[in-house]
Amino acid sequence: MNEKFESIKNEILNGIEDLQSSKAVYELKKHFLDSKSGKIGLLMKEMKNIAPEERAGFGKGVNDLKEWALQRFAELDEKIKAKELQMRYEQEKIDVTEPAITVKNGNLHPITQMRNEIIDVFAGMGFEVMENKEIENDYYNFTALNTPKDHPARDMQDTFYLSPEFLLATQTSAAQIHTMEAKKPPIKILCPGKVFRSDDDATHSPMFHQMEGLVVDKKITLCDLKGMLDVFVQKIYGEGTTTRLRPSYFPFTEPSVEVDVSCFECGGKGCKLCKGTGWIEILGAGIVNRKVLSNCGIDPDEYSGLAFGIGIERATMLKYGINNIKLLFESDLRVLDQIDNN
Ligand code: PHE
């Protein structure tokens, strides 16, 4: 019997020699020690074949063998598990001294920033914001704005027509008509929108953005317009700036003005930006034409209005010294990253 115990011992010693993983240790342990199918477990079943006087000795021998085997497997298991843990530590090692990957925050597009800034300024003066339409019909874009068919002023804007009746909005001024049709004075609205003209050079793009402003109430005058625009330029271009009004022409305003801002680069002395004049043209505006008020059912003897249209790209280019409008549409992060006014 002792030989049999010895041979199982040798089998175990040989078997455990080249085990590499805790799983393999577990499998081999099962092979010998499983209570039902294990080699040592099965020895107990032979008890009935043993002469009664030898049974006690046999039982002890099997138990000793079992204890011995358990011991071997436990030692080995501990060693291999420690090795495996060490390997995991190596694999999952984190170098805490390695520089972190920086996550770059995005920022709003300069045009969106400028739009929001302008809205902030006028919201502070009590203006409401409304949305503009990108497709207009001829009546709202032109006729109701005192620019009937064949009016020479239609040539001021190169229009993309979609059909004889529909067109891509060339100006946000149609918002004046939509607003005055929908509500009666007092009116104080601001309307940002995309507009389209067949025009393409360093300072013009076929699609650009405007911000329309309209105030209609009793006794609105050019003084109200200048006062509001002064606040606007001071907030956007600096405390020291002011505006001046020059006579101009738009069919829907009378009188019409071109508004200049005093040069915020040189303070009015004359420089490259203002071409030596001390002034920079920034927007068109005027007193709402009586005919436009009448077109919308508002009595021009009782009410008057002011309107202005700000080119958002132009306002942005001036503020940040951008000399080509394309830079605002190319999505080049080297440009866009530099403008973060939020
Ligand atoms: N709509 C005019 C333009 O696009 C600007 C403007 C708006 C002028 C409101 C006067 C009043 O040129």
Side-chain angles (χ1 to χ4, degrees):
M1 220 38 215
N2 276 344
E3 285 129 57
K4 191 151 198 185
F5 292 166
E6 278 311 307
S7 99
I8 291 182
K9 267 190 183 178
N10 283 335
E11 236 182 284
I12 292 177
L13 288 174
N14 290 335
I16 62 179
E17 220 161 65
D18 39 37
L19 291 185
Q20 298 295 342
S21 69
S22 52
K23 186 159 179 268
V25 175
Y26 172 79
E27 295 296 343
L28 194 69
K29 181 176 167 190
K30 208 167 133 194
H31 177 70
F32 286 101
L33 288 161
D34 188 86
S35 58
K36 285 197 190 107
S37 59
K39 272 194 163 176
I40 298 177
L42 290 176
L43 281 178
M44 276 303 191
K45 296 210 170 116
E46 288 181 23
M47 189 73 95
K48 56 181 182 299
N49 305 326
I50 307 282
E53 63 277 15
E54 289 175 14
R55 279 186 190 162
F58 177 78
K60 185 169 180 307
V62 174
N63 275 334
D64 287 351
L65 176 62
K66 200 170 152 190
E67 277 309 310
W68 177 88
L70 279 171
Q71 192 81 29
R72 297 285 81 67
F73 282 113
E75 279 165 11
L76 186 66
D77 199 47
E78 196 180 331
K79 238 166 58 197
I80 287 189
K81 282 212 167 113
K83 222 160 94 191
E84 283 176 345
L85 194 64
Q86 194 56 37
M87 263 160 63
R88 262 187 68 189
Y89 284 153
E90 292 295 327
Q91 278 166 4
E92 297 174 8
K93 199 156 140 185
I94 295 170
D95 180 359
V96 291
T97 64
E98 201 173 294
I101 300 166
T102 47
V103 180
K104 224 160 75 58
N105 284 336
N107 56 317
L108 294 176
H109 191 278
I111 293 173
T112 309
Q113 291 184 42
M114 178 54 82
R115 188 196 65 192
N116 292 350
E117 278 177 56
I118 298 173
I119 289 175
D120 270 0
V121 173
F122 286 99
M125 291 188 260
F127 281 68
E128 275 176 73
V129 178
M130 58 173 277
E131 285 296 312
N132 199 48
K133 293 184 169 67
E134 289 174 22
I135 294 177
E136 271 299 348
N137 70 25
D138 191 273
Y139 177 77
Y140 286 99
N141 196 83
F142 288 126
T143 306
L145 286 163
N146 195 33
T147 323
K149 287 223 158 69
D150 304 324
H151 192 292
R154 284 212 178 190
D155 283 350
M156 289 167 81
Q157 301 166 359
D158 284 317
T159 310
F160 290 114
Y161 280 92
L162 302 172
S163 71
E165 195 192 348
F166 288 100
L167 44 83
L168 295 180
T170 61
Q171 52 188 354
T172 44
S173 298
Q176 296 184 26
I177 308 300
H178 289 298
T179 307
M180 288 191 283
E181 279 183 356
K183 83 188 236 167
K184 296 301 145 210
I187 290 171
K188 220 171 180 188
I189 59 111
L190 203 60
C191 180
K194 279 194 169 82
V195 295
F196 306 84
R197 294 180 197 177
S198 181
D199 211 349
D200 198 3
D201 60 30
T203 53
H204 296 89
S205 154
M207 186 284 294
F208 62 104
H209 300 78
Q210 284 188 331
M211 180 80 75
E212 193 81 9
L214 173 72
V215 179
V216 184
D217 206 341
K218 289 183 171 146
K219 300 196 176 79
I220 294 293
T221 69
L222 273 182
C223 289
D224 298 302
L225 177 71
K226 179 155 168 44
M228 287 176 183
L229 294 179
D230 278 347
V231 174
F232 160 65
V233 297
Q234 280 155 18
K235 289 269 165 61
I236 303 289
Y237 297 107
E239 285 300 322
T241 51
T242 182
T243 60
R244 81 174 177 186
L245 311 183
R246 279 182 294 111
S248 183
Y249 175 77
F250 298 103
F252 37 89
T253 46
E254 180 58 39
S256 299
V257 292
E258 210 66 66
V259 180
D260 295 343
V261 59
S262 57
C263 185
F264 41 86
E265 191 76 23
C266 65
K269 286 199 285 298
C271 68
K272 222 173 109 195
L273 182 66
C274 59
K275 299 191 184 89
T277 64
W279 296 94
I280 305 164
E281 182 185 319
I282 51 162
L283 58 98
I287 291 299
V288 180
N289 194 309
R290 289 171 62 89
K291 283 197 200 145
V292 175
L293 294 177
S294 303
N295 286 345
C296 302
I298 293 175
D299 181 0
D301 289 327
E302 194 180 353
Y303 292 104
S304 58
L306 64 84
F308 55 85
I310 305 170
I312 301 182
E313 279 77 0
R314 180 160 174 73
T316 310
M317 290 166 74
L318 280 177
K319 178 155 179 174
Y320 299 107
I322 297 171
N323 57 10
N324 192 321
I325 195 166
K326 303 292 182 291
L327 293 171
L328 289 174
F329 295 112
E330 280 169 351
S331 303
D332 185 339
L333 290 179
R334 288 171 303 179
V335 175
L336 302 183
D337 274 351
Q338 294 181 47
I339 299 171
D340 190 1
N341 224 2
N342 295 309

